[in-house]
Amino acid sequence: MKVLVINCGSSSLKYQVIDSESEKVLAKGLCERIGIDGRLVYQPAGSEKIITESDMPTHKEAVRMVLDALVDPKNGVLKSLDEIGAVGHRIVHGGEKFTESAVITDEMLAKVEECNELAPLHNPANIIGINACRELMPGVPMVGVFDTAFHQTMPQKAYMYAVPYECYEKYGVRRYGFHGTSHSFVSKRAAEVAGIDLNNSKIIVCHLGNGASVSAVHNGKSVDTSMGLSPLEGLVMGTRSGDIDPTAVEYIAKKEGLDFDGVMNLLNKKSGVLGISGVSSDFRDLLEAQDKGNKRAKLAVDMFVYRVAKYIGAYTAAMNGVDLIAFTAGVGENNGYVREEICRYLGFMGVKIDSRINDETHGEDKKISTDDSNVLVYVIPTNEELAIARETVRLTAK
């Protein structure tokens, strides 16, 4: 079966076509500037990117351009759209309504819309992409895969906030967690690569990118995660503050004369390592500045490393031990310096890193701990698109 995977934003649309049998990517790309002017990037496997500038007033035109590119006589990877057996859609927030992926129906979408206020910037865009695909591909089964679903196994003591219980009952205020598709994929892959039993394991996954989160996965199920009601909670990130005293937010707002929207913009887009360093949210830029003696860049990296190490320690306690720590996503997969600095804090656990292997490892499944390390440490590249494709096949294959 050929699966089309769609990740729809407010003005963008990322896509991949995956052969479910070989699990190879046949083509991938994105549509940018939807509703502005429009730009399609299309890349068949093994070929160069093909860029087309064209008006995309809505997501419907964007999806149409993607479908046309896939069956283009010269550069297409499909003979006809009939080869697409199903479509998998990334949906950011499923609240407590979705504990796993679900086949898309009118009733299912109505429930997703009820979660929109929990992710007002993401869910509506996800639904727009779904509706565009349903209109252009009638009869093709579609599946929604939720960022939050994997973390719905957290116990109440982990996901509740210590605010009046009525806030949870009336408004659903609790920790939901995100990056769930990645945490699920990486924990399973890590157990497979390391040769341990997922159903009898304690794994900590560190998804470290511009957005970053840590999860505790006990016997294959998420029991805690660092992001909360929104992706703002938890680690220091590229532009997000992570954990912060709410009183500090009030104090800054009063001093700067910021309204609620201004405060949220500051915490989401102007904070994190960007706000601390004043240099960049990209760790490559930060490490280059650090090497040149920029003290604020070094402070930003040190804060990020420290926060990750603290969460690893906390989740080791939560699970009463840990068998394996997995690093994934852009920073986790490619930045040996950050990985090793994090692991320096974990000596009390008997974590030992092979510096040479760690330095040489970029974006590949690789054990970076020494043979005498008490805890296995691996780099495991995430593949959210493949995870979505697998879920789509699981729910639609006959």
Side-chain angles (χ1 to χ4, degrees):
M1 180 193 292
K2 308 294 193 305
V3 179
L4 173 62
V5 176
I6 297 287
N7 181 353
C8 201
S10 58
S11 62
S12 65
L13 184 153
K14 298 179 182 178
Y15 65 91
Q16 286 191 9
V17 177
I18 297 175
D19 184 321
S20 65
E21 293 185 8
S22 65
E23 296 195 334
K24 292 182 178 179
V25 177
L26 304 181
K28 63 181 180 179
L30 73 156
C31 297
E32 301 175 291
R33 299 175 63 82
I34 299 171
I36 304 172
D37 43 28
R39 183 172 186 259
L40 170 70
V41 179
Y42 171 70
Q43 186 174 19
S47 301
E48 297 296 317
K49 293 179 180 178
I50 301 169
I51 298 175
T52 304
E53 308 284 347
S54 180
D55 288 340
M56 296 180 190
T58 71
H59 288 75
K60 180 179 177 181
E61 286 80 13
V63 173
R64 169 54 66 192
M65 286 192 66
V66 170
L67 298 179
D68 288 345
L70 294 174
V71 295
D72 179 75
K74 182 179 179 181
N75 298 302
V77 295
L78 304 175
K79 293 180 180 179
S80 79
L81 294 179
D82 292 339
E83 291 185 50
I84 298 177
V87 182
H89 294 268
R90 175 189 180 231
I91 302 176
V92 169
H93 217 305
E96 291 185 323
K97 299 179 185 297
F98 295 95
T99 59
E100 62 178 1
S101 306
V103 174
I104 293 172
T105 63
D106 291 341
E107 294 75 18
M108 178 268 199
L109 279 182
K111 291 183 179 180
V112 173
E113 288 178 352
E114 292 175 8
C115 301
N116 281 5
E117 63 181 359
L118 293 171
L121 298 179
H122 297 92
N123 271 30
N126 299 155
I127 293 171
I128 288 171
I130 290 169
N131 285 331
C133 287
R134 293 180 84 195
E135 184 176 348
L136 293 170
M137 307 173 72
V140 177
M142 301 190 187
V143 169
V145 180
F146 299 88
D147 277 8
T148 52
F150 181 61
H151 300 302
Q152 285 298 300
T153 52
M154 286 190 291
Q156 196 170 31
K157 64 184 179 183
Y159 70 68
M160 286 294 293
Y161 291 119
V163 296
Y165 196 79
E166 292 77 12
C167 294
Y168 168 66
E169 290 181 308
K170 292 191 290 186
Y171 312 120
V173 175
R174 52 158 286 182
R175 174 177 289 107
Y176 289 98
F178 298 87
H179 294 146
T181 307
S182 175
H183 285 288
S184 175
F185 177 89
V186 170
S187 57
K188 291 179 175 65
R189 179 62 179 163
E192 178 185 353
V193 172
I196 63 177
D197 179 8
L198 180 67
N199 297 315
N200 185 27
S201 66
K202 299 173 181 178
I203 297 174
I204 294 175
V205 177
C206 302
H207 179 109
L208 309 181
N210 194 270
S213 61
V214 180
S215 67
V217 183
H218 191 195
N219 297 337
K221 295 182 179 181
S222 174
V223 293
D224 209 340
T225 191
S226 57
M227 285 180 167
L229 176 72
S230 79
L232 183 57
E233 186 182 0
L235 302 178
V236 173
M237 304 179 215
T239 62
R240 296 183 185 123
S241 66
D243 296 337
I244 186 171
D245 183 346
T247 306
V249 178
E250 179 192 31
Y251 185 78
I252 293 169
K254 288 179 177 178
K255 290 293 185 181
E256 293 290 320
L258 297 174
D259 60 11
F260 183 76
D261 288 341
V263 167
M264 295 310 294
N265 184 62
L266 181 145
L267 295 177
N268 276 296
K269 298 182 178 180
K270 297 181 179 180
S271 299
V273 294
L274 171 64
I276 293 296
S277 70
V279 173
S280 175
S281 62
D282 190 310
F283 275 78
R284 291 167 294 189
D285 298 332
L286 293 176
L287 292 179
E288 182 179 349
Q290 174 180 295
D291 290 343
K292 293 178 180 179
N294 187 311
K295 293 182 179 179
R296 281 176 55 185
K298 183 179 187 306
L299 174 61
V301 174
D302 287 347
M303 289 175 65
F304 177 83
V305 163
Y306 181 65
R307 186 71 62 86
V308 175
K310 282 176 66 177
Y311 266 98
I312 292 173
Y315 289 165
T316 300
M319 295 190 293
N320 195 21
V322 60
D323 301 314
L324 187 152
I325 298 168
F327 289 99
T328 194
V331 177
E333 293 172 26
N334 297 295
N335 200 309
Y337 174 83
V338 169
R339 293 192 300 254
E340 186 153 8
E341 289 300 300
I342 291 168
C343 290
R344 287 186 193 280
Y345 284 98
L346 309 179
F348 75 98
M349 293 161 50
V351 171
K352 297 180 182 179
I353 297 298
D354 186 312
S355 295
R356 180 187 62 80
I357 294 176
N358 178 54
D359 290 343
E360 294 173 352
T361 300
H362 304 279
E364 60 179 322
D365 294 328
K366 182 73 74 170
K367 176 186 171 186
I368 60 172
S369 52
T370 60
D371 289 341
D372 62 343
S373 176
N374 288 349
V375 180
L376 295 167
V377 183
Y378 274 78
V379 173
I380 303 289
T382 190
N383 194 332
E384 293 173 277
E385 290 78 14
L386 177 57
I388 292 171
R390 286 175 174 174
E391 283 292 277
T392 302
V393 171
R394 181 179 70 84
L395 291 174
T396 61
K398 297 178 181 179

